[in-house]
Amino acid sequence: MATIFDVLRAPKSQRYIAIEAYWWLWLAMLLVRFVPFRWWSRWLGQLGHATSDGDLAAPDYTVRRVKWAIAAAGAQVPWHSTCLMNAFAGKMLLRRRRVASTVYLGARRSQDALNTRLAAHAWLRVGSQIILGADEAAYYQPVAWFGDRA
């Protein structure tokens, strides 16, 4: 996890993308908490459209910088940055850099001691690589995905 000191020691270009990630995370928090999903879901892309593995048109370092920026900014925000907030912010950072990506929303049944509940997760894929939310993605069944229009 990146700290504020890692951000301050980073090269200028990385500091700028971390600040931009911080901005997108703030907007994502406001949207997720206060605005109905149906009003802002179109910002994620076209429902039911997934980008292909060959759509990675950006250098790998761009994807790594976006991934780092979300982790660095997410560690500094004064709220718990959820997977949906991270996926939204990552999607916006990639879109500004003209990198095609797909946001997946998944669900699974979670067994508690007393009952069965539905758990949800969001992750972001670029090409064949899941760049945000990969740790949990394998445990969830995709129920919706939003990809960039071709």
Side-chain angles (χ1 to χ4, degrees):
M1 179 182 337
T3 66
I4 189 71
F5 300 110
D6 295 331
V7 174
L8 294 174
R9 283 188 293 241
K12 192 180 285 190
S13 63
Q14 280 187 266
R15 276 183 271 160
Y16 290 144
I17 196 171
I19 291 167
E20 185 182 351
Y22 194 74
W23 152 249
W24 285 115
L25 284 171
W26 271 98
L27 180 61
M29 183 271 298
L30 293 173
L31 290 173
V32 168
R33 289 188 179 174
F34 302 113
V35 180
F37 181 74
R38 64 180 156 49
W39 290 3
W40 59 270
S41 62
R42 70 187 114 128
W43 289 1
L44 295 174
Q46 182 179 352
L47 176 63
H49 177 77
T51 55
S52 69
D53 289 352
D55 285 344
L56 180 57
D60 190 43
Y61 72 88
T62 301
V63 174
R64 283 194 318 265
R65 283 180 47 203
V66 167
K67 187 176 179 177
W68 175 86
I70 295 297
Q76 306 307 315
V77 294
W79 65 87
H80 171 68
S81 185
T82 65
C83 56
L84 183 56
M85 294 174 196
N86 291 342
F88 176 85
K91 177 79 170 186
M92 296 301 109
L93 287 171
L94 290 169
R95 183 173 288 154
R96 284 189 27 83
R97 286 150 184 83
R98 292 184 168 86
V99 177
S101 63
T102 303
V103 172
Y104 289 89
L105 305 178
R108 72 176 172 135
R109 292 202 183 272
S110 174
Q111 293 286 354
D112 283 351
L114 300 175
N115 59 6
T116 302
R117 297 178 359 179
L118 191 65
H121 183 58
W123 60 96
L124 180 63
R125 182 180 61 82
V126 174
S128 61
Q129 179 185 13
I130 298 174
I131 65 165
L132 296 171
D135 297 342
E136 297 286 322
Y139 302 112
Y140 291 84
Q141 180 67 38
V143 294
W145 45 93
F146 300 84
D148 293 318
R149 292 172 183 89

